[in-house]
Amino acid sequence: GMDGFLAKPLTRRELEQAQRLLQQAGFRKQGASLEDAQGQAVSFTLAVNAANSAQSRMAAIIQQDLQALGIAV
């Protein structure tokens, strides 16, 4: 299992590096939203087992990090 896995938010440096990599790959930030090369907003659904508190905590951190990059979750 993932019992020993400690989820933590990305650091500012990690977020900045992710933004650079996304830009290099053709993604652009428009306001608070990240868009692909065709101008479509980037979004996806993250499904977790709500009864699993570790998964729920990890999902919340992932959502926070992705939203900081402009990705709707």
Side-chain angles (χ1 to χ4, degrees), residues 19-36:
Q19 289 170 335
R20 281 193 302 275
L21 292 171
L22 287 164
Q23 285 181 342
Q24 291 172 5
F27 293 88
R28 296 289 174 256
K29 192 104 179 252
Q30 292 295 329
S33 180
L34 184 71
E35 295 182 351
D36 65 17

